[in-house]
Amino acid sequence: MFRRSWRRVSTATAALLAVTTLAACSDDPSDSQDLSGNRVGAMADYAAGTQFRATEPVSFSILYNNHPNYPLKNDWLFWSELKSRTNVTLEPVAVPLSDYEQKRSLLVGAGDAPYLIPKTYPGQEDTYVSSGAVLAVSDHLDLMPHLRDRISRWNLKPEIDTLRQEDGKFYLLPGLHEKPWHDYSLAVRTDVLDELGLAVPRTWDDLYTVLKAMKARYPDTYPFSDRWSKPNPGGNLLNLLAVSYGLQGAGWNFQHTSWNAETGTFEYTGATERYKQMLQYLNKLVTEGLLDPESFTQTDDQARQKLANGKSFVISANAQVVVNDYRPDLAQTNPAATIAKIPLPIGPAGEINPASRLENGMMISSKAREDKNFVAMMQFIDWLWYSDAGQEFAKWGVEGTTFVRDAAGKPTLAPDVNVIGLNPDAPKHLQKDFGFYNGVFAYGGKPELVQGFFSAEEQQFQQVMNARTPIAVPPPYPFSDAEREQASLWETPLRDHVTQASLQFILGQRDFGRWDAYLAELKGKNHDAYLEMVHKAHDRYRKANS
């Protein structure tokens, strides 16, 4: 998923170290620690390719993100089959999706968190590092052969290095993708394109041309009326444009810094010429009546209603909302209408795939390190989240019950099981009735696993995106504890001011002739000092790891 919270990134050209070097470099592998009292239930011969099964029954607490689309059930097949295969019982501490991040923060801060803390995006662990509340998981990579094997075979060291703190260690076990997977883009009414004799827009300039033609044919509409603007105005749209303009992110993925490879320096994203050009593009759309100005304030339901009622023809999208939201909405109001997600429009940065290969992952409570079953726990995590067999189980379930294999051995849903509309008339649901394909457990992996439930059109979308150059991974700048504390004081006022001023520029409430005044305002909010601290941290990291 593209909606991610990234903190820092590392050099794309960094050479991959051997697996043994990976565990030793900047880490303190548990081989050198005394874990003799923490091996109860652990397998003595656990290795990559091995099915994990604890040598005696064990149980681990886990913070559980309770999704409203498939509320937690204690009788799910997932739980019983997991215990049967691994001898592990998970004890979920259920938290509603809407409160997950706040509850996680409270539990970790109070020292009451369960052992396993999943659904944590890279960067979200920063807050807890200095307190010692979460484990330096990089100290224990030798207990996780599947994870180490994937880092090595998939050349993931540059991405893994983005997780490292100033001490050289990392505190989050991330979800890993072999290939980038980009989902978010725009959806366009393809029947309107056909009516106007227009091709699917390939670039942002093409989109402007399409919107102009739609406006000429339907003058009483705003051809583009967007969603996903709460709580971040223009959340998805600004982020898509930012990466298309060669920036690290904006909107709901706002990044304070972007790496300028030409100058070899970090720039403040909201102060760059590229960011200004992006805002000018949006201002042109608003000024010419092509983009609904309410796009930055309206609810998702309001945006969907406009699309369904023919008041707009373009909207932000991912694969699921096209199937679950837009097509059913249109089917009720205009059965002849067709809509599709288009490949991310190309901007000044060229044909890039902006997705990272890191996914949300897991923190581990530091208390778990003292548990007698600690080694077994790390082996279990390694199998369920990082082995081919564990990932297939978490996603597809049990062969013969929730899925079958075709002649080539490829999993396919059982005929009586539905998920994301693949068997719409089936009486059972993979997530709701069985607990599989659960966002707490199923993410990342090989492309064939990630794309296992993709429709033919989504696979075609992925083929287009995968043909593009992966976005470069800029250098890291891990802050010290003191720097992080200072950064937290500066970042919120800076982000808030960028957000406010961006909307003013987009909506025409502020003229671009006042851009220099805006830059001066950023300086007044410690923009220069922030960048100086970023470069200092980067130089320190580079020297320590050269």
Side-chain angles (χ1 to χ4, degrees), residues 254 256 268 490-503 518 522 525:
F254 179 77
H256 288 277
Y268 193 78
W490 289 340
E491 286 175 345
T492 299
L494 282 167
R495 180 189 295 108
D496 289 348
H497 191 68
V498 170
T499 299
Q500 180 184 30
S502 295
L503 290 181
Y518 158 70
L522 291 180
K525 296 183 182 299

Side-chain angles (χ1 to χ4, degrees), residues 234-252:
N236 180 60
L237 177 58
L238 285 170
N239 192 50
L240 294 180
L241 273 164
V243 297
S244 300
Y245 276 75
L247 301 169
Q248 290 304 125
W252 61 21

Side-chain angles (χ1 to χ4, degrees), residues 194-314:
D194 292 342
E195 175 190 351
L196 299 174
L198 298 171
V200 170
R202 185 170 180 270
T203 68
W204 289 102
D205 287 341
D206 291 343
L207 179 66
Y208 169 75
T209 301
V210 165
L211 296 175
K212 288 278 285 186
M214 289 176 168
K215 182 72 173 181
R217 176 65 179 84
Y218 297 97
D220 294 333
T221 68
Y222 284 111
F224 188 177
S225 188
D226 212 17
R227 67 181 296 178
W228 288 327
S229 286
K230 293 183 178 295
N232 305 106
N236 180 60
L237 177 58
L238 285 170
N239 192 50
L240 294 180
L241 273 164
V243 297
S244 300
Y245 276 75
L247 301 169
Q248 290 304 125
W252 61 21
N253 189 37
F254 179 77
Q255 300 295 301
H256 288 277
T257 63
S258 291
W259 177 250
N260 187 325
E262 295 181 0
T263 62
T265 60
F266 288 98
E267 300 174 328
Y268 193 78
T269 298
T272 61
E273 182 65 22
R274 290 170 288 172
Y275 193 84
K276 177 183 178 181
Q277 292 169 358
M278 175 187 82
L279 299 184
Q280 288 173 324
Y281 175 84
L282 290 173
N283 173 255
K284 179 173 69 171
L285 298 188
V286 170
T287 300
E288 298 184 20
L290 308 180
L291 174 62
D292 185 355
E294 294 182 354
S295 294
F296 302 92
T297 56
Q298 67 189 354
T299 66
D300 287 0
D301 286 344
Q302 289 172 323
R304 286 175 58 183
Q305 187 176 30
K306 290 176 181 178
L307 181 73
N309 293 334
K311 299 298 184 182
S312 69
F313 310 113
V314 179

Side-chain angles (χ1 to χ4, degrees), residues 69-83:
N69 289 353
Y70 43 96
L72 173 65
K73 294 181 180 178
N74 293 327
D75 62 351
W76 273 340
L77 179 61
F78 175 85
W79 305 117
S80 57
E81 186 68 19
L82 182 69
K83 183 177 181 180

